[in-house]
Amino acid sequence: MGGAQIYSANRRRRKASKSQDNLEEDDEEEDNAAPILGLRTSRSGHLLATITATTMTVWQTSPLVVLAAASRSAASLRSYGPNVAVHLRPDASIAVIQTLNGFLVTYSIIVDPTARVYQQIREGVNQRKATGTDSLILEKEKAGFREVKIKSRMVIRIDAGIAAALALDNEIVVATQKPAAVQCIKWTPDDAGKQTSTELTNRMAWMQNASRITDMIHDRAMSLTVWITSDGKAYAVQRLPESLDESDGNQKLFRGYGFHSPEGQGTEAMKAAINARFSLLAVGCPQGEIHVYVARDYAGSIPPSHKLPSPATFSTTGQITSMSYSPDGYCLMVGYEHGWAMWSVYGKPGASSFSADETLSAMNREGWLASVKSLSWINAGFGVLLTCVDDSRLWEVEMTKSAVTTCFSTANISRTVLLSSSRLILYRGFDLPTTTTISADAPLWQHVAIPTGYLMNQKPMRCVVTSLDGRYIAVAGRRGLAHYSIGSGRWKTFDDTESENAFIVRGGMCWYQHILIAAIESDDTYELRLYSRELGLNATSVLHVEHLPSAVVTLSIAGQDSLLVYTFENVLYHYVLNASSNSVKLFQVGQLALHGIVRAPARVRAVTWILPEFQMRNGDPSQDVAHASVLFLVDAKLVLLQSSTNEAGLKYDMRVVAHNVEYFDLLRDRGTLLRSPGHSQPQTPSEEDTPVNGLHSDRGLYDSLWYFDGESVRCWIDVEDILMPSTTENERDVPQPVTIAVDFYPTSVMLNRGVILGLDAEIIQRRDAHFAYMRHGIRTQLFLHDILRRHLSQFDPAAASILALRYQDLPYFSHALELLLHTVLDEEVDAGRDSDTSLMPHVVSFLSSFPDYLDIVVQCTRKTEVRSWRTLFAYLPPPQQLFEESLEKDLLKTAGGYLLILHTFQELETSSEQCVRLLQRAKEAGDWDLCKELARFLMALDASGGTLREALSRMNLEPSRETNVQSTDGSVLLSTSQAPKEQQLQRPNGNIDKTRDSTEGEGPRSSSEGFLSPNGTVVSEDYFSSRS
């Protein structure tokens, strides 16, 4: 997301002036302008209509400009009342204004293809010298936009009063107040001259109560309407063909099913939104909570899916005013009385205006952060239009989406690529050293502008795909395609417009080395085309063409050289890529018909397969279909088709292994990427790994399967776990995956770094700027400790050790082990488990095999409450023994941490023999910072200073009366003068931390903030939760 752009159609033109008086006059005029009361967008998103109390304005969305306006006369306003709401026929040919007195004023919107408006002619510019992109821009500006005319059509009076209205393709549906009924008014009369039909709600047997309808929304793709009633219920409704019920003579127009009933105060339905891509129905409640249901069929099976809590308290948000899913279905945006918020399709919170500074927002007059009256997605989801309460301005907020939403591919998931309306945003941290990758301060984003010529002719971009190695990227708009090289920084587009407009990319694209594979549609024919990055784009540069009998749903690279193509005829084709020095060709080696298994091919979002090890190594590619287990992502269900052979031949058993899946990542599909660590450490797995024991193979996470369900990232360490035959057909027999909690939206699993990469949106407001904008920050989360814990909980320390060895060279490896100890300890303390079921002995035994074992324990204690220490040391050697081991290994700062533990356990001798020994060792090592902290610790034990003087005397360090000893940072270390009173106060826990505001339960810190890894790298506490 970026900053918001402001548009207004109600302000008069004024001469440019920079005087303060004129600026104040403009602001006053803006305040007095009529506020926008309603907003409606056409189905295509090209036109929209807004209204004030007296005027309707028709806009073009790209770019956002006013094309026409119609103001009602004073007589019309007196007769029918002022405007209340606007409704737009989906094709934008008819606009309907709902008035206060219960009238519907209709207008025809006529687009004149010959007349043009906003034609710009640049004076003083020699257009003959303009070439290439500049010439194209000049031609577009000179051509302007098509003119729109608004003509009055007719006025319809609704005597029963209007409660809600909905404009559809063939009719406008009106819900009346008294009596409560639904009227269907056709745009034009039928052959019999009939134009209206009515059904009373008390005659609708499927409605639980004869309640008045307060709101209606419709989705054409699902052929479904949601009604909200006055008693807080929600119904899924379908329009029936007009027929006559012979039993009672009543006309039946609708059939519906109730799916939301209020369970108490604050759970009544107020607003609704439909997500056709994932078959979801969202219902907003008065307290800001959103209930989401999944529509499984049209027979009333609409169970709850999940709930979205309010983004803030009710006093902060206010009631819900509008809500809408993005065109691709991946995002839900909700407008409130005092702001807005966004969620991913299955509930991960995204950007929100409630973190903005209200004072700055009011000072800068940024209404889009303060309130939302209505919202609408435009430009294929790359923008959102907002109207605010009592505001005459129309706000456009630019959106950025993940490339996964445009093309589901392993490459797009493994490498974070973002797409805006005019540029690509690439995350470059994959190619940088490890510490730079996870740094919050490093500039890791590369912005690549899409070629202007291609963008102007083919926007919006509908498909984006990158290569697995991140060297190439391709985009496809309404027609044609273009590709880009990261190394050279050059785009390649078609030489002529005719070749570019000859085909449409439909079904996706993918890269195989430097070869781009595109599924295209051209003149009702369907093909797979192969383009080389090394060649130009033209009609003769196609390396290979593979004809298909039907359109492609999705395609993907599986393994090293296999291409899977799933088509609308419900057939999965298997191709092998044969590359030579001169050419690349596709050879079909198998196919799999899925009739009766996959009911709706259009609902499939992704497909891959899992081959047995013997088949990948030595098998015949033509037999891959017989041995493969196919993974389909159908809507949000991850479906496994597992092959087996019986007397009848080959058959497939279907199981749903995961629900609410936003995306998944089978790491073996990354192929050579996993075995090309580059700058990354440690070494990645290889296929030649040998078994370690009878239960585990040393393959690391090469065979792991990851997915994100809207709450957490989940992982099966070995995909073979879900392939094992179950005793029943119940999907609950699927083993539980490892759950990795994240507080941001995850985008990629960085296997070689041991972290999950993600994004978090935040609002930037500055007092020296008069506007706010949104930016996406880099977030990372360690997953290594969660995987290690799963191995240890399954009593497989060998697998845990082997996995840890792969990551032991990472600078934050010790921190990962510390997180393992910390999380297990917290759960043990909260659960109160006995020693027989405790996981702590296994964790402690595992950690003791690493050289950083003593440091890990100390760092863990300083981040946990004192009450947890007893549980921890019940499975550890005595603190005195650990203190002695630290001294033997010259880990002086670590030994200082164990001093605090000894003091807390009241095991520290009165004479502080251990402290004196450590102080002597620190003095011999010249570590004056540690000496300073130990001196403060002794002062905390004895405020009179006697213990410190005794220790100094035993070390022959007692200074003279006038002598101060300074530490390396210049501060006074020892002085014979009395210390200030605040320095004599003992911390509640006896902390020897040099900061005065340290929290309870913390232990000693090193001289620099953060954790000290074995190689001397300082890692901050929030190393994996920082923002960029």
Side-chain angles (χ1 to χ4, degrees), residues 343-363:
W343 287 269
S344 70
V345 58
Y346 285 103
K348 176 59 69 175
S352 170
S353 68
F354 299 110
S355 60
D357 189 318
E358 296 182 5
T359 303
L360 284 178
S361 299
M363 183 186 306

Side-chain angles (χ1 to χ4, degrees), residues 528-845:
L528 295 176
R529 291 186 182 177
L530 275 61
Y531 296 92
S532 173
R533 171 62 198 176
E534 308 301 328
L535 302 177
L537 284 176
N538 51 62
T540 62
S541 62
V542 182
L543 297 180
H544 179 78
V545 176
E546 186 74 18
H547 296 278
L548 298 170
S550 65
V552 175
V553 178
T554 181
L555 54 83
S556 62
I557 297 290
Q560 296 296 317
D561 54 4
S562 292
L563 176 67
L564 302 180
V565 180
Y566 179 67
T567 64
F568 276 95
E569 65 176 356
N570 214 351
V571 175
L572 178 64
Y573 294 93
H574 177 212
Y575 294 91
V576 171
L577 286 151
N578 185 8
S580 64
S581 58
N582 299 324
S583 64
V584 177
K585 292 185 178 181
L586 287 175
F587 294 96
Q588 182 182 346
V589 295
Q591 68 181 49
L592 176 63
L594 300 172
H595 305 292
I597 300 176
V598 179
R599 292 183 298 175
R603 312 298 300 183
V604 175
R605 296 166 52 203
V607 60
T608 186
W609 68 17
I610 306 167
L611 290 175
E613 189 70 21
F614 69 88
Q615 182 66 22
M616 286 193 301
R617 292 179 181 274
N618 305 313
D620 182 0
S622 63
Q623 298 300 314
D624 285 354
V625 172
H627 296 281
S629 297
V630 185
L631 271 177
F632 280 95
L633 183 58
V634 183
D635 286 342
K637 294 183 291 187
L638 191 58
V639 180
L640 175 66
L641 302 180
Q642 195 166 357
S643 62
S644 60
T645 305
N646 56 14
E647 297 178 355
L650 183 66
K651 72 169 187 176
Y652 283 87
D653 299 323
M654 185 176 71
R655 286 191 298 164
V656 178
V657 297
H659 293 271
N660 296 357
V661 178
E662 296 195 13
Y663 65 84
F664 74 93
D665 189 6
L666 181 61
L667 292 193
R668 65 162 60 177
D669 283 346
R670 298 187 183 184
T672 56
L673 181 66
L674 289 177
R675 291 182 289 277
S676 302
H679 298 290
S680 306
Q681 291 292 336
Q683 291 292 330
T684 50
S686 63
E687 294 186 358
E688 287 72 21
D689 295 329
T690 56
V692 176
N693 52 39
L695 300 176
H696 180 74
S697 177
D698 180 17
R699 295 175 61 83
L701 298 174
Y702 172 79
D703 287 325
S704 59
L705 174 62
W706 303 69
Y707 71 93
F708 177 60
D709 63 358
E711 295 182 1
S712 305
V713 177
R714 304 182 188 273
C715 167
W716 283 289
I717 300 176
D718 192 340
V719 72
E720 295 291 336
D721 294 341
I722 65 174
L723 300 181
M724 294 180 180
S726 57
T727 56
T728 67
E729 297 296 328
N730 197 318
E731 64 190 50
R732 290 177 297 179
D733 292 331
V734 176
Q736 288 296 318
V738 178
T739 300
I740 304 168
V742 291
D743 60 352
F744 53 87
Y745 191 89
T747 58
S748 302
V749 177
M750 303 180 70
L751 183 64
N752 293 343
R753 316 288 171 90
V755 298
I756 296 171
L757 177 72
L759 300 175
D760 195 7
E762 57 182 341
I763 293 180
I764 305 299
Q765 291 178 293
R766 298 175 54 178
R767 295 189 177 274
D768 58 348
H770 298 292
F771 62 91
Y773 63 93
M774 307 290 297
R775 78 172 181 185
H776 41 265
I778 299 172
R779 299 287 301 278
T780 51
Q781 171 69 47
L782 269 173
F783 65 75
L784 182 58
H785 61 287
D786 293 304
I787 306 296
L788 293 174
R789 180 185 173 186
R790 170 57 62 90
H791 284 311
L792 294 176
S793 65
Q794 295 178 340
F795 308 104
D796 194 356
S801 299
I802 294 170
L803 182 65
L805 290 176
R806 295 180 178 273
Y807 293 92
Q808 63 181 350
D809 294 330
L810 292 174
Y812 42 82
F813 175 70
S814 295
H815 182 63
L817 298 181
E818 180 191 331
L819 286 176
L820 170 64
L821 179 60
H822 189 278
T823 53
V824 173
L825 176 61
D826 283 349
E827 290 191 4
E828 297 281 335
V829 173
D830 295 337
R833 297 172 183 166
D834 54 29
S835 57
D836 295 334
T837 60
S838 175
L839 186 61
M840 281 298 297
H842 306 282
V843 174
V844 170
S845 175

